[in-house]
Amino acid sequence: MRKEEGSSRAKVASRRGERQEIHRLKLRPGTGSGNHFHSPHNVDLVRDGEPPTSQRIRNAPAISEDVAKEVFAEYAANHCCYSKDPAKEMVICDSQSFDTYRYRLETFSESRSCKWRSEPYRGEPVDPSLRAYAPYPWDVQVEVSPMFKEQKKKVKVPHTSSVKKCPYCRGSGETSCGRCSGFGSVTETSGENNTTSTTCSSCGGSGRETCSTCAGKGKLLTFLQLKIKWKSHMFEFVMDHGIGFPVKLFKKVNGQQTFFDEQRMVSPVVGFLENAINEVSLVAVEEHRAQFMTPIPGDVYPSDSGIATWNAIENPKAQFPPTVCIRRQKQAIELLHLTRVEYEWHGKHYSYYVYGNEQKIYTEYYPKKCCCTVI
């Protein structure tokens, strides 16, 4: 029996020794070129061979018995209902560290959508070149938001503005009073047959009120409004060893970054020592490309011209479907510290977990609690 245990430990030590070697992460060739996705021509995709920032993988460090006891004692001291005796008197029987990795992919996207809008015309200058050709949504020059900073912006598409007579007041700037229906007075009934007529308090007896559509100006400025939205989208995966530790607790702690890659469009990770990370990275990258890379119709960007245009007079109700593109991506792999500690106290066996750089404690059961009375 002892020989089998010694052989098993030797195998584990051998595996750990293999994992301590430095591995090089590779990126899937061709997946970052964007050849299968149509994107706005002013968005540069990643160049082949562009290396990630870091490519080093490390093995999970083990904590000493003294540290395991110290952090457990601090954990008990921070809980008023926990007795300090188990933390002081326990005997550690065994501890085991687990290589746990967290993969994150953050995609910074830019989406553009257009709608025809009207607002009161207040005499501001209007683009006189309505007959000129207007740019398509992705050809409108807009200052790009700082990377990974969410923002929204609305702009008028050039060569789409026009001034028209307000259809609701027919250019007069006034409409019939909504309260008195244009009569200037309202009739009120009290009792059975007593009726009284009073001057309308809303219009002062004129029967007219300021048109709410044109704000009394009689004219509307109609234009195509471009709405731009920059947004970050996060994909996160944490390995679960199935040892009873709730992986959701890792959300509140930090790990040791072992890989970081930031480019216009990243490629899935391959060659990582945990194949689950390779598979998840491939799924994440493909999902984000499918969600945040809208195919752009080929006729929008003809080969003989750098910018495609359209005419607002010929197409006064032109509609453009919402589209989105990837502005930048970054992915990272973190090594998350996780150690299971088994101990004995008063003849019984218990366990707890130490996790994260912050060395937080999780235990499903604490052996001795005292009663606290809250007054």
Side-chain angles (χ1 to χ4, degrees):
M1 184 70 178
R2 291 183 178 177
K3 290 183 178 180
E4 292 180 358
E5 290 179 358
S7 175
S8 176
R9 290 178 180 177
K11 289 180 180 178
V12 172
S14 176
R15 291 172 186 168
R16 289 181 178 175
E18 292 174 359
R19 289 186 177 180
Q20 287 176 350
E21 296 179 0
I22 296 176
H23 293 260
R24 287 282 178 182
L25 289 184
K26 299 179 182 178
L27 301 178
R28 297 180 186 270
T31 52
S33 63
N35 293 334
H36 301 291
F37 295 87
H38 298 285
S39 66
H41 61 78
N42 59 339
V43 180
D44 297 326
L45 303 184
V46 60
R47 297 188 299 273
D48 290 339
E50 193 172 335
T53 305
S54 173
Q55 299 187 128
R56 300 195 67 183
I57 307 300
R58 301 178 180 86
N59 189 254
I63 61 172
S64 66
E65 183 174 315
D66 291 339
V67 172
K69 288 182 176 181
E70 181 182 348
V71 295
F72 194 54
E74 292 177 358
Y75 170 77
N78 291 330
H79 290 73
C80 63
C81 295
Y82 286 11
S83 171
K84 298 179 181 179
D85 294 343
K88 290 181 178 180
E89 302 168 359
M90 70 175 181
V91 176
I92 294 181
C93 305
D94 188 25
S95 65
Q96 184 177 2
S97 296
F98 297 87
D99 288 346
T100 305
Y101 294 96
R102 172 165 56 200
Y103 171 80
R104 282 174 173 162
L105 171 66
E106 186 175 1
T107 296
F108 186 62
S109 70
E110 178 181 330
S111 61
R112 296 194 176 196
S113 59
C114 290
K115 283 187 178 181
W116 287 97
R117 299 291 187 188
S118 293
E119 62 184 32
Y121 177 61
R122 306 181 186 278
E124 63 268 29
V126 178
D127 185 356
S129 305
L130 183 60
R131 292 185 179 275
Y133 285 88
Y136 279 88
W138 284 100
D139 286 312
V140 177
Q141 298 299 312
V142 179
E143 185 178 355
V144 179
S145 168
M147 294 301 155
F148 302 101
K149 182 179 180 181
E150 297 189 356
Q151 285 188 9
K152 293 180 181 179
K153 186 178 292 186
K154 295 179 181 179
V155 297
K156 293 183 176 71
V157 176
H159 309 310
T160 62
S161 299
S162 62
V163 179
K164 298 178 181 179
K165 182 188 296 186
C166 177
Y168 296 96
C169 66
R170 299 180 180 180
S172 67
E174 293 181 336
T175 57
S176 295
C177 177
R179 186 167 186 268
C180 66
S181 301
F183 292 104
S185 61
V186 292
T187 302
E188 298 178 354
T189 303
S190 60
E192 295 183 358
N193 298 316
N194 296 328
T195 60
T196 57
S197 180
T198 58
T199 301
C200 177
S201 57
S202 295
C203 64
S206 66
R208 310 289 290 175
E209 63 181 1
T210 302
C211 177
S212 58
T213 302
C214 67
K217 302 301 181 181
K219 295 180 180 180
L220 293 176
L221 177 64
T222 302
F223 57 92
L224 186 64
Q225 185 182 74
L226 174 64
K227 182 179 180 181
I228 307 167
K229 184 177 181 180
W230 291 278
K231 186 175 178 62
S232 287
H233 313 271
M234 181 68 74
F235 178 98
E236 182 175 308
F237 168 80
V238 178
M239 292 175 55
D240 188 350
H241 294 283
I243 58 175
F245 177 79
V247 294
K248 63 181 181 180
L249 295 179
F250 280 127
K251 286 186 174 293
K252 297 183 178 181
V253 297
N254 296 308
Q256 181 181 2
Q257 190 175 87
T258 60
F259 173 76
F260 180 79
D261 179 22
E262 180 177 335
Q263 301 182 38
R264 287 297 180 97
M265 288 182 67
V266 300
S267 296
V269 174
V270 296
F272 192 71
L273 55 90
E274 292 288 352
N275 192 49
I277 298 297
N278 300 324
E279 295 176 352
V280 165
S281 176
L282 176 61
V283 171
V285 170
E286 290 183 346
E287 282 186 357
H288 275 209
R289 287 183 182 175
Q291 294 176 25
F292 311 120
M293 285 290 289
T294 304
I296 306 297
D299 56 354
V300 172
Y301 300 105
S303 58
D304 59 344
S305 175
I307 298 179
T309 57
W310 58 283
N311 188 276
I313 293 180
E314 296 173 359
N315 301 279
K317 295 183 179 180
Q319 300 295 323
F320 301 96
T323 50
V324 61
C325 79
I326 295 175
R327 280 294 181 186
R328 200 158 184 83
Q329 289 183 304
K330 57 184 177 182
Q331 59 182 347
I333 301 174
E334 284 181 282
L335 178 59
L336 299 169
H337 179 83
L338 178 62
T339 300
R340 179 173 62 192
V341 180
E342 297 181 6
Y343 66 97
E344 181 181 348
W345 185 69
H346 286 194
K348 293 184 179 182
H349 291 270
Y350 306 94
S351 65
Y352 63 91
Y353 296 87
V354 183
Y355 64 98
N357 290 349
E358 298 81 356
Q359 295 183 329
K360 289 192 174 185
I361 297 292
Y362 167 75
T363 179
E364 190 174 359
Y365 177 76
Y366 191 79
K368 186 178 180 181
K369 299 178 181 180
C370 59
C371 297
C372 296
T373 304
V374 180
I375 299 177

